[in-house]
Amino acid sequence: MTFDSASILTDKAAFTGQFVHALVSKCRDHNGRGVDGMRLIQMMAGAIVEFTLLFDESDRGVEAMYDHLATMLGCEPQEGPVSDLALPPAYIIDFRAEQGRELTRRMFEDWLHCAYEFQDVLLFVCQQMFMAMEEEGQHRRDLFRLLIECTNRCLGYEIAAQELCDIVIEQKIGLEGWSLPESISGLSAVSGRALALSLNAYQQTAFRGADLPEHLDRLTCVMTQEAVRLGLPAGSDWRFGLAANDRPLDAPYELIASLEPLARDFFRVIRMHNLMDQAVASAKATGRMLAVAAGGDRPEVEPVIAKPLAMAAMTETYKTVCTQYAIMSM
């Protein structure tokens, strides 16, 4: 069932019910009888980000939504530091938030010109979601804070990915003459290095056949899904031609040394200090560069070449960092 632009104003309740049903259906717990509250919060964070990206100053837009929601809830979010254990890993937040963004695009694509009605629906759903979870023993101030943390991270990944692409295009391609394959490899390698450093790299040295460690596999999914969302042909050729585990490691050291200082300075400016967050943002940027280079009817780099190139740079760099730390810890 779809709603035309008139239905936004005359049948908002029915539309809101449809949105809630679609949202909750994706958040069932493992036994299918309840709702995974954390997953629901992450998907709502993605929905909020998708809405605020309609505007030029999305960061100010999301702050305004927090203020509106605080008024509706009758409380401010919980203060103080948030434990690392309170939130899932960055790649999970990105994955669930992207699900929320995709759902939001499908539901609201026909009436984006009614932005304020759109905002009312999102805020109402958040309010009702928190009230329902509060009846089960959760505190609305805690839930509000978790929503803010997930939303800020999701928005940060989106903004950082675009800015990293701009840095590569303007400084590396424009000024230093990097090729598109070098740009893809450089971003991917920076992502793999940040991931390894975020995980106590010396403990991550078990590589079995073609299987990737779970964290690395999840990060490659961030990259591949971003690329496919933006038009890169989907397929199973991402690992075609990757080196076997008995081959010497071949991380693109020169590209890392050239790009990582710029990326580090940028992350410091936007206060994205967590290395896992940096890894996810860099992986999303890699996916976007892949879509630019290998998407469309006449790609500048063939997908069958570009995709394994990005995968190899990320995995080889990750393995190199892990191996180096293992040697130094002996």
Side-chain angles (χ1 to χ4, degrees), residues 2 175 179 187 209 217:
T2 58
L175 298 180
S179 65
L187 280 169
D217 191 40

PDB file of all heavy atoms in Angstrom, residues 2 175 179 187 209 217:
ATOM      1  N   THR A   2       0.570   2.199  -0.837  1.00  0.00           N
ATOM      2  CA  THR A   2       1.318   3.438  -0.892  1.00  0.00           C
ATOM      3  C   THR A   2       0.378   4.606  -0.667  1.00  0.00           C
ATOM      4  O   THR A   2      -0.836   4.490  -0.804  1.00  0.00           O
ATOM      5  CB  THR A   2       2.019   3.605  -2.255  1.00  0.00           C
ATOM      6  OG1 THR A   2       1.032   3.579  -3.287  1.00  0.00           O
ATOM      7  CG2 THR A   2       3.022   2.485  -2.476  1.00  0.00           C
ATOM      8  N   LEU A 175      46.062  17.056  -7.165  1.00  0.00           N
ATOM      9  CA  LEU A 175      47.368  17.686  -6.977  1.00  0.00           C
ATOM     10  C   LEU A 175      48.540  16.730  -7.154  1.00  0.00           C
ATOM     11  O   LEU A 175      49.609  17.136  -7.616  1.00  0.00           O
ATOM     12  CB  LEU A 175      47.439  18.324  -5.582  1.00  0.00           C
ATOM     13  CG  LEU A 175      46.423  19.439  -5.295  1.00  0.00           C
ATOM     14  CD1 LEU A 175      46.602  19.970  -3.876  1.00  0.00           C
ATOM     15  CD2 LEU A 175      46.567  20.576  -6.310  1.00  0.00           C
ATOM     16  N   SER A 179      45.979   7.783  -9.468  1.00  0.00           N
ATOM     17  CA  SER A 179      44.979   7.164 -10.337  1.00  0.00           C
ATOM     18  C   SER A 179      43.797   6.710  -9.484  1.00  0.00           C
ATOM     19  O   SER A 179      43.875   6.667  -8.246  1.00  0.00           O
ATOM     20  CB  SER A 179      45.585   5.963 -11.060  1.00  0.00           C
ATOM     21  OG  SER A 179      45.936   4.950 -10.121  1.00  0.00           O
ATOM     22  N   LEU A 187      42.386   4.330   0.283  1.00  0.00           N
ATOM     23  CA  LEU A 187      41.284   4.429   1.245  1.00  0.00           C
ATOM     24  C   LEU A 187      41.008   3.088   1.908  1.00  0.00           C
ATOM     25  O   LEU A 187      40.783   3.010   3.124  1.00  0.00           O
ATOM     26  CB  LEU A 187      40.024   4.932   0.538  1.00  0.00           C
ATOM     27  CG  LEU A 187      39.921   6.429   0.282  1.00  0.00           C
ATOM     28  CD1 LEU A 187      38.757   6.729  -0.656  1.00  0.00           C
ATOM     29  CD2 LEU A 187      39.758   7.194   1.594  1.00  0.00           C
ATOM     30  N   GLY A 209      42.511 -20.229   5.728  1.00  0.00           N
ATOM     31  CA  GLY A 209      42.096 -20.345   4.340  1.00  0.00           C
ATOM     32  C   GLY A 209      41.602 -19.022   3.785  1.00  0.00           C
ATOM     33  O   GLY A 209      42.184 -17.971   4.005  1.00  0.00           O
ATOM     34  N   ASP A 217      35.598  -9.258   8.115  1.00  0.00           N
ATOM     35  CA  ASP A 217      34.514  -9.620   7.209  1.00  0.00           C
ATOM     36  C   ASP A 217      33.379  -8.600   7.287  1.00  0.00           C
ATOM     37  O   ASP A 217      32.806  -8.197   6.268  1.00  0.00           O
ATOM     38  CB  ASP A 217      34.006 -11.016   7.564  1.00  0.00           C
ATOM     39  CG  ASP A 217      33.072 -11.576   6.502  1.00  0.00           C
ATOM     40  OD1 ASP A 217      33.340 -11.382   5.303  1.00  0.00           O
ATOM     41  OD2 ASP A 217      32.066 -12.203   6.870  1.00  0.00           O
TER      42      ASP A 217
END
